[in-house]
Each structure stands twice: as structure tokens, then as C-alpha cells.
Amino acid sequence: MNSADTRDVAEGHGLDVVTVEVIRSALESLAEQMTETMTRTSYSLLLKEGKDCSSSIFDAGGRLVAEGANVPVHLNALGPCLKGMLKHHFPPETLVPGDVILTNDPYVDGSVGAHHTADFIVYEPVFWGGELVGFSTIFAHLAGAGGLDPNDWHTSIFEEGLRIPPVKLYSGGVLDEDLLKLILTNTSVPYAQRGDLLAQVSGAHVGADGFRRLLDRYGRDVVLRAVDAQIQYAERRTAEYIRRIPDGVYRAEKLLLEDGSMGGPVRLRLAMKVTGDRITFDFTGSDEQIAGPINCPKSATISACLFGLLAMMPPDIPKNQGPANLVTIDAPEGSIVNPTPPAAVYQRMAVTHQIVDMIFEAMAEVLPDAVVANSCGLIYGRGSAVNTTTHPDGGDISARQEWRMGTGPSTGGLGARASRDGLSAMPGWITNVASPSIESSEWEAPVLYRSKALYTDSGGAGRWRGGLGLRLSWQVKGEAARFSHTSQYSAIPPKGLFGGHSGAPSRWVVNEGGESEQVLRYQTGPTMSLDRDDIVTLYTPGGGGYGDPLDRDPARVRVDVLDRKVSVEAARDRYGVVFTDAGEVDEPATAERRAALRAARSRA
């Protein structure tokens, strides 16, 4: 951190810098402990290995104090929902020690609730000395929520599972057993969901207890003044960064469902308006909400915007309420970025991934060293089948067991940046969910994974190469199999920046290379049936490149060829690098080849 700035802010609140820093670190560590508690005590694969959850601590006014965001799209997601809940459902004076409030409703106070019905949020009010001082919260994707087929093409929220408005799961420390029974009756995996939900409450307890211990040690006045100092410091640092951007309006535009699937394309427009130390994300002109699940609640739109901004800023700026104080988000009501009931929202990540890429594209000319080329976008894949081989009665109440793609959601190539190649076969920036092991997926479902590997030439060529996509193939080993799929960047691939090439597009194939081979026409579609032993293969997109490929160090190209990330043909045709028979860079031939490619480009 900037020690002079930190000391100035701390002294302005009558504190020394060491105390402020110790309290800040303690609160951030506490948020991480909450997440760790949940993942270590949860039951479902999605949480115990995928770690699809995040934790936050708020003060009594609903300001974000500290965040343990495993999943970046959870950044700043819980504050708007908390404020809406306190305004419309549980005013602060109605809360008592031991309360735990639960919701999974996207439509809290407009659409600033949960991101979709599979995302459960718990808020535990924190009391100290009889006074409400804050909230300990966890946001988690629970197994068995989101309807019978979460990744199907829903057309309304009523198809997406049980919708729970803010309610007290615990009142004064007493569990509402009837409410818990109601929730578990509406899932096909009650055992796993009960374990996950109680693990979530345990994590919230850890946060509340830790917050109280901090107050015991330093006192209410010192801790709350330190919180004020942290927020002011983060706001000041953010303002300094925004002032580096010339005042103006910076625009970007994307098409969703760009291959025409499910009635697409759908247009997403963004204008970033910078004035002094303030920034507005304006989505005016984006299409209206659609009869499909890619509508994005405003809570998720807020998260995507703040992530895109924070990702460009120095990483030592604390992740609290400070940066958000300088940001305005104009998302027209009834649009794809702020839907109204009964719009379906389960696959809202289709929009959030694009928002992040749009922010980087819009800022590229003024912040070239801070932005990233397009990444892989949203990728969902879900299979399920009845397992009569090892589980004669099936895997859950519906006699089905399900599997994901053998990766975290949205795994592919990430875009390159000004000084580094993109990461390969990684969850997209805003997802960051861990990839469960192949073995655990096969253990829990009737599926056999045939291959999981990077595929050559999928990363966009550039001075800095885009990350490679993933080729993943699995085979059905159960009966009555069902398969749902969504991906992005199939018709329009992930774009590069500053002369960098696009990454490879996405592609789905059933029974590749066989007599019944079927290349799926659209990136997104309704759930389809599969037969036992059918094989599904997914090619995930590669990341866009950054800078002119002809400026890439030939030695790096040689390493890429040796690692099978780039073919010899692509090295010659895209990078202008020629090799000797011994596999070394032929420097004279390379110089000649690059000169010829540049001349051909100038004539085009």
C-alpha cells in the first residue's frame, strides 16, 4: 500500500496506521476463513471441490467492509441485496442476536437479489453489546437448486426452481425446521443440499464470531473508525486511478447468441462515461429482456462492472465499499442487464462475461497496459443419466446423477495482455471456479471421460499469445441420458487487441469421427437426449492475442511449437517464424518471411 496515504487517512480518524492495517488484515482474513469453513464442511462437489462461494462482511449500514471473493462475479453482489432486504423485509430494529436470514430470489428490490435461484445468500446480523454492528454473509451455489434441469432454456423464473424471498432461517438462534423441510422437499438432492446449507450457516457463524472477537479486543469505536479509514483510503486510491483516464465517453458493443441460436442475436451496449474521479457504466441501448435464461439481474451487472474496473487498478487497493462509491450504473429496467419478473435469469453469466470484455475493449486506447483481450466467455455443460450399474436405485430422488463438463464452468483460453500470454484452460476471469477432478466426477456420476487436453493453435496469435482452449470429451455410462449446453464465441470468436488475432471459436460435437457424428449447429440449445455410450466433445474458445504476432520473440514461438501450443504451420503463417531441419529458429529465413508478411498486409 501507499504508506503515506494510509498514514494520512488513519491519522484523520485518530488512529495509527498499524492499527488500521491490522484491523483491515484481520477482517479480510476473517472473510477468507468463512469461505474456507463452508468449502471444508459442504457436501456437494460444486462446493467442496469447485469452491463456488464467496464471503463478505458489512457494517450496520450495509457498507462492504471486507470480502473473500472466490468468485469475482460475487464482488459487491451482496451489498445491494442487503440494503434492499433491510428496506423492504427486515428493518434493523426487527433483528435480534441469533437471526440468520436466507434468500435465493433474484428479484429483491428490483433485481438486486441473488444472481439466480441456485445462489443462496445467508446474512447473519452481528450484535455486540446489544447493538447491531454489522453482517456476516455468504453467497453460494447450492446443489439441487435451480430447477430439474438448471441449464435448460428456461423462459420464466418459475421454471428455475424454488424461489425464496428474504426469510429467517434462524430466529434468535432457533432453526425454523418447517422452512428447512420446505426447502429440502423442493430439491432432488436433499441430503447434499441440507449439508451445503448448514455449512453455509457455519461459515456465517465464523464471520460473526470473529467480528465480535475483534470488537472485544479493540473496542467498538476503534474498529468502526478503522473501517471508515479503510473505505476512505480505497475510495481515494480509486479516485486517483480514475482521474488518469481522460474525461470522455468510451463505447463497446457485443452480440449474445450471435450465431442465431434461441432467437438471437441479442445486442449489449455499453458507454463508459468518465468525469473527473467518477465513472458511469451506461447500458442504454441494450436490448430488452428476452424469453430465455441469459437475462442478467442488476446485482450481477453491478458485480461485472466493478470487477472490470477493479481488474484494471492496482491490486493493493482494498476491496471494500470505497471503489463502489465512485461508480454509477445505469441499467434500464426491463433490459437484458436489469430484467423484471418473470424473466428467467439462470444463465446470466452469458452477459457478465461479455460486460468484462466490453470494459477492456472500451478502455483499450486509454489504458493499454491495463486491459486484456477477449477471453472464452460463458460455457455451461451438464449431463445426467440414471446409473443402474453402481447405484441400482439411482443417485438421488429423481433416480438421476449429474455431471458437469469435468471442468469449472466457463473454462477456456483467457486473453493476452500487454506483458504476458493468456492463461490456458482456465475459468474465465469473472468465474474463477475451481475445476473438479475427473476422478471425482466419474465417482459421483455414470460418465467416463475420454480426453481432457489443450488443443494446438487455439490461442489467438499476437506479440503475446492468447491462452489455449480445452478439448474435453466424455462418454455416457448410464441410461436415459440428458444433455444441456451453452457456450459463447462460436460465430464471432474472442477478439484480440492491438493487432492480436482472435482465439479459436467454441464447438460442440456428438460422436465425433463416428457414423452418427453430429456437429451441433448452435452454441446454445434446449436439453437433448443421448444414448448410452454416446460421446460428447467440447472445444472451448481460445483467448485473443495482444499485439502484432510478427513482433513476438521467435524464441517464444519455438517454445510454443515444442510444447504443441502452436503448430509449425501456424508459426510460419501467423508469426512468420521459420525453423531449420534441426528445429532451431532460422533467423535469416524468419526475417525474410516476416518482411514478406508485412508487405502483403500493407497491400491488402
Side-chain angles (χ1 to χ4, degrees):
M1 281 194 174
N2 185 316
S3 57
D5 278 356
T6 310
R7 185 179 303 109
D8 183 40
V9 172
E11 291 175 353
H13 288 79
L15 300 172
D16 64 275
V17 65
V18 174
T19 299
V20 171
E21 285 296 283
V22 167
I23 291 174
R24 179 187 66 82
S25 296
L27 289 166
E28 291 177 355
S29 175
L30 187 57
E32 297 289 352
Q33 291 171 45
M34 294 162 62
T35 303
E36 190 72 7
T37 298
M38 180 168 190
T39 57
R40 285 181 174 269
T41 57
S42 57
Y43 285 32
S44 69
L45 191 65
L46 188 64
L47 286 166
K48 65 188 179 185
E49 289 205 25
K51 302 182 185 299
D52 194 353
C53 59
S54 299
S55 306
S56 299
I57 296 172
F58 295 88
D59 67 10
R63 295 186 305 171
L64 179 63
V65 172
E67 200 160 42
N70 266 8
V71 183
V73 78
H74 297 166
L75 285 163
N76 289 274
L78 298 177
C81 182
L82 173 59
K83 291 173 183 176
M85 182 190 75
L86 294 174
K87 178 180 179 182
H88 298 291
H89 298 272
F90 294 104
E93 61 271 15
T94 67
L95 302 174
V96 298
D99 283 350
V100 175
I101 299 166
L102 168 71
T103 185
N104 73 336
D105 186 5
Y107 293 113
V108 174
D109 195 20
S111 68
V112 295
H115 287 183
H116 58 188
T117 54
D119 286 335
F120 281 50
I121 305 173
V122 297
Y123 293 96
E124 180 169 348
V126 182
F127 286 84
W128 189 79
E131 178 188 0
L132 178 66
V133 292
F135 294 86
S136 171
T137 71
I138 298 189
F139 187 124
H141 186 139
L142 264 58
L148 179 62
D149 190 352
N151 295 136
D152 197 12
W153 189 259
H154 308 132
T155 57
S156 81
I157 191 72
F158 302 114
E159 301 169 61
E160 298 189 327
L162 180 66
R163 185 171 151 208
I164 308 166
V167 293
K168 287 188 180 182
L169 181 63
Y170 286 78
S171 295
V174 178
L175 174 64
D176 187 333
E177 296 282 359
D178 289 335
L179 175 58
L180 183 60
K181 288 177 184 176
L182 174 64
I183 293 169
L184 299 182
T185 301
N186 284 275
T187 176
S188 60
V189 287
Y191 177 76
Q193 192 171 109
R194 181 182 185 277
D196 287 348
L197 184 54
L198 295 182
Q200 190 172 6
V201 172
S202 296
H205 287 342
V206 166
D209 290 344
F211 199 177
R212 282 189 288 267
R213 286 196 301 272
L214 199 63
L215 292 162
D216 289 340
R217 179 173 182 180
Y218 289 97
R220 173 190 176 283
D221 183 58
V222 169
V223 170
L224 296 188
R225 278 191 286 136
V227 165
D228 285 340
Q230 296 163 30
I231 291 173
Q232 182 179 331
Y233 172 76
E235 183 173 332
R236 177 186 292 185
R237 291 283 308 280
T238 303
E240 291 172 354
Y241 188 85
I242 295 174
R243 280 194 292 268
R244 291 176 47 196
I245 306 172
D247 284 1
V249 180
Y250 304 91
R251 301 181 187 276
E253 185 174 305
K254 291 281 188 182
L255 292 179
L256 312 174
L257 308 176
E258 79 277 4
D259 62 359
S261 56
M262 310 312 295
V266 177
R267 193 171 303 277
L268 189 62
R269 285 195 172 105
L270 171 64
M272 296 177 63
K273 302 175 181 178
V274 178
T275 306
D277 60 4
R278 304 278 169 162
I279 189 164
T280 297
F281 295 84
D282 187 354
F283 291 92
T284 300
S286 296
D287 282 356
E288 295 180 357
Q289 64 192 53
I290 67 169
I294 66 168
N295 301 295
C296 186
K298 190 175 180 181
S299 57
T301 298
I302 291 169
S303 297
C305 292
L306 287 168
F307 169 75
L309 176 62
L310 292 169
M312 294 186 293
M313 296 194 306
D316 64 336
I317 296 177
K319 306 302 185 290
N320 57 35
Q321 188 66 39
N325 289 341
L326 302 174
V327 172
T328 300
I329 297 172
D330 291 337
E333 189 174 276
S335 71
I336 193 79
V337 291
N338 184 12
T340 57
V345 297
Y346 194 87
Q347 297 189 38
R348 87 288 180 201
M349 292 290 281
V351 172
T352 60
H353 279 277
Q354 300 291 358
I355 289 174
V356 175
D357 280 349
M358 289 167 69
I359 290 170
F360 292 153
E361 287 183 31
M363 290 284 103
E365 293 300 327
V366 289
L367 296 174
D369 293 339
V371 298
V372 180
N374 286 181
S375 294
C376 58
L378 169 71
I379 306 159
Y380 279 155
R382 176 183 179 270
S384 70
V386 177
N387 185 350
T388 57
T389 303
T390 59
H391 294 68
D393 296 324
D396 57 28
I397 288 174
S398 68
R400 285 188 168 271
Q401 293 173 304
E402 70 170 56
W403 61 92
R404 306 286 169 164
M405 293 308 299
T407 69
S410 304
T411 299
L414 305 191
R417 45 187 161 153
S419 60
R420 293 190 181 182
D421 293 340
L423 298 175
S424 297
M426 290 289 288
W429 304 112
I430 202 163
T431 303
N432 197 42
V433 174
S435 295
S437 65
I438 291 295
E439 292 78 9
S440 61
S441 298
E442 291 178 336
W443 177 261
E444 297 201 359
V447 62
L448 174 66
Y449 287 85
R450 304 292 296 267
S451 68
K452 181 180 180 181
L454 304 179
Y455 66 103
T456 305
D457 292 336
S458 53
R463 180 177 184 179
W464 298 100
R465 174 186 42 74
L468 271 65
L470 183 71
R471 181 187 184 275
L472 179 74
S473 181
W474 50 257
Q475 186 172 26
V476 176
K477 289 299 179 182
E479 310 301 327
R482 291 165 60 82
F483 165 57
S484 52
H485 70 286
T486 297
S487 62
Q488 294 185 290
Y489 289 124
S490 65
I492 301 174
K495 293 196 300 186
L497 291 175
F498 302 108
H501 293 189
S502 296
S506 65
R507 185 159 53 104
W508 299 90
V509 188
V510 179
N511 295 326
E512 185 176 36
E515 292 183 1
S516 60
E517 177 179 287
Q518 178 186 5
V519 178
L520 300 189
R521 179 179 179 184
Y522 293 125
Q523 63 190 2
T524 298
T527 297
M528 59 189 292
S529 296
L530 296 174
D531 294 328
R532 187 183 181 96
D533 292 326
D534 276 349
I535 298 172
V536 174
T537 301
L538 164 65
Y539 293 85
T540 70
Y546 187 108
D548 189 341
L550 301 182
D551 291 334
R552 185 168 177 80
D553 183 347
R556 290 184 180 275
V557 178
R558 178 177 180 272
V559 171
D560 282 346
V561 169
L562 292 174
D563 289 341
R564 300 183 181 179
K565 294 179 178 179
V566 173
S567 66
V568 172
E569 294 76 17
R572 175 182 175 83
D573 296 340
R574 301 178 188 177
Y575 292 97
V577 176
V578 181
F579 298 102
T580 66
D581 291 340
E584 301 296 330
V585 175
D586 187 329
E587 294 185 3
T590 294
E592 182 180 349
R593 176 66 178 164
R594 287 185 162 183
L597 290 173
R598 287 191 172 96
R601 182 192 300 166
S602 65
R603 291 193 298 269

